[in-house]
Amino acid sequence: MPVVSAPYEINADDVFVNLASVFGVPLHLKCEGFNLAGSIKLKAALEMVRAAERDGVLTPGSVIVESSSGNLGIALSMIAAHRGYGFVCVTDSRCNRASRRLMESLGAEVRVVTQADESRGLLGARIDLVHRMCEEDSRYVWLNQYANPNNWRAHYRSTAPAIAAEFPELDVLFVGAGTGGTLMGCARYFRERSRPVTIVAVDSVGSVTFGGPALPRMIPGLGAGVRPPLLDASLVDDVVMVPERDTVDSCHAMARQGFLFGGSTGTVVSGALRWLAARADAHALTAVALAPDQGERYLDSVYDPAWVERHFGSPQSWGEPVEQPVRPQELARDS
């Protein structure tokens, strides 16, 4: 590895895990957690900061403010510390303690929202607080990961090309739906290629992103209480909605084989397995799923037996019947 001068220059972007040994199906996992920020969010954070600097929005003395459930906040904490900006992360009670401690260790201020907006949930309340902060202090700069096109451009320029280089015969790509940045960047990239690639979005039950009803969600990362402005559902071929206890089950199954991945990864893997199980030709497909982060930040939640039983019941009660994939066009028609 070359000598680097910035913490965000340390990144392994070419690590893939074959999950056939864990689940018995040919599914490759692109691991995005091997950087100092520990997640795929480092790419979007850096792209948005650099664009804001080029546009003269971020200047000496600026304080970045962003709404984040954890991973983007950690990435921005690291970047802000290195580039000399202040940073305030607006999060909510679902953000795990390890993530909050990491941000604070890097010099960030963390503000935790505990009261949800009546119609837009905790995310809506977080965004409202960000707006108030920016109105009250001109130093604050909101990058707005939910609507910033540099969010998806980061993955159009890096994540998707790395997958295409490793798997030129790719048939299907599974991407988690959060802000829509990773999903849209990858979808746009593969839409421009001559060889068709099926793009499957994986979301959490309780998320409103694809028109479903808003329900309580305990695991941060994927899903949204407000439909992401970046989302263009026409670029998505299928959508799989995953109950959170299936997320936990997938995480534990991988951990039993020595792979400790985060909650978002558990959701994406669970959705990919669900989609592939409905396909008679699954074993002939070249399938890749994106793993946004590692599992260390989830030791007090997804990997804590007491936490799991408190929120999802005993292991014997996990595993609701598998639902079939839902096409985004059908969801748009019903909503």
Side-chain angles (χ1 to χ4, degrees):
M1 177 176 286
V3 176
V4 301
S5 58
Y8 37 81
E9 294 175 356
I10 300 174
N11 183 39
D13 198 36
D14 57 354
V15 179
F16 294 82
V17 172
N18 187 344
L19 291 179
S21 62
V22 181
F23 297 107
V25 296
L27 177 64
H28 293 87
L29 200 59
K30 186 178 190 305
C31 302
E32 292 283 352
F34 296 119
N35 57 63
L36 288 191
S39 81
I40 195 171
K41 289 292 189 177
L42 177 61
K43 294 177 178 179
L46 192 57
E47 192 83 14
M48 290 190 295
V49 167
R50 285 174 169 165
E53 290 174 336
R54 289 194 301 269
D55 294 341
V57 176
L58 273 178
T59 58
S62 292
V63 178
I64 300 170
V65 59
E66 186 58 81
S67 162
S68 170
S69 60
N71 282 336
L72 182 75
I74 293 167
L76 285 173
S77 297
M78 186 178 74
I79 295 168
H82 184 261
R83 297 173 91 88
Y85 302 115
F87 175 57
V88 181
C89 180
V90 177
T91 189
D92 60 57
S93 51
R94 293 170 299 183
C95 179
N96 58 61
R97 184 171 178 268
S99 294
R100 294 198 299 268
R101 291 287 303 277
L102 274 169
M103 287 186 275
E104 290 167 345
S105 297
L106 290 164
E109 177 186 349
V110 180
R111 297 194 186 183
V112 181
V113 171
T114 57
Q115 186 66 42
D117 179 84
E118 287 187 6
S119 61
R120 295 153 54 241
L122 286 166
L123 176 57
R126 280 163 34 187
I127 292 174
D128 288 345
L129 177 55
V130 171
H131 279 298
R132 290 196 300 272
M133 292 171 62
C134 291
E135 290 170 357
E136 294 169 0
D137 192 329
S138 61
R139 295 177 304 153
Y140 287 132
V141 174
W142 182 26
L143 298 176
N144 192 0
Q145 63 164 326
Y146 310 104
N148 193 323
N150 294 293
N151 185 344
W152 67 259
R153 285 179 185 136
H155 304 288
Y156 179 91
R157 293 169 178 166
S158 62
T159 307
I163 296 170
E166 185 70 23
F167 296 94
E169 301 301 311
L170 180 68
D171 293 306
V172 55
L173 177 65
F174 300 95
V175 187
T179 64
T182 307
L183 177 62
M184 291 295 96
C186 291
R188 285 189 170 94
Y189 178 87
F190 284 108
R191 282 290 178 272
E192 295 176 2
R193 292 171 63 83
S194 58
R195 190 176 188 279
V197 173
T198 298
I199 303 296
V200 179
V202 182
D203 202 5
S204 298
V205 169
S207 168
V208 305
T209 297
F210 291 98
L215 297 171
R217 290 174 290 112
M218 300 305 302
I219 302 173
L222 300 186
V226 179
R227 183 181 172 90
L230 288 178
L231 180 69
D232 180 353
S234 69
L235 298 175
V236 178
D237 297 301
D238 279 322
V239 179
V240 183
M241 304 299 294
V242 177
E244 286 193 316
R245 57 184 175 183
D246 287 2
T247 292
V248 174
D249 204 11
S250 292
C251 285
H252 286 206
M254 289 184 284
R256 286 193 293 270
Q257 296 294 318
F259 297 109
L260 194 73
F261 287 109
S264 297
T265 300
T267 301
V268 174
V269 169
S270 181
L273 296 175
R274 180 175 299 217
W275 192 91
L276 291 169
R279 294 288 300 256
D281 61 344
H283 283 271
L285 296 176
T286 299
V288 173
L290 282 177
D293 58 5
Q294 302 298 306
E296 292 88 344
R297 294 166 192 170
Y298 300 81
L299 296 179
D300 293 331
S301 55
V302 170
Y303 294 104
D304 179 4
W307 185 92
V308 171
E309 185 163 1
R310 184 164 66 252
H311 293 291
F312 303 110
S314 62
Q316 289 78 11
S317 69
W318 298 350
E320 294 180 344
V322 171
E323 301 174 5
Q324 295 300 315
V326 180
R327 285 175 171 76
Q329 292 83 354
E330 296 172 355
L331 286 165
R333 194 164 54 240
D334 294 339
S335 58

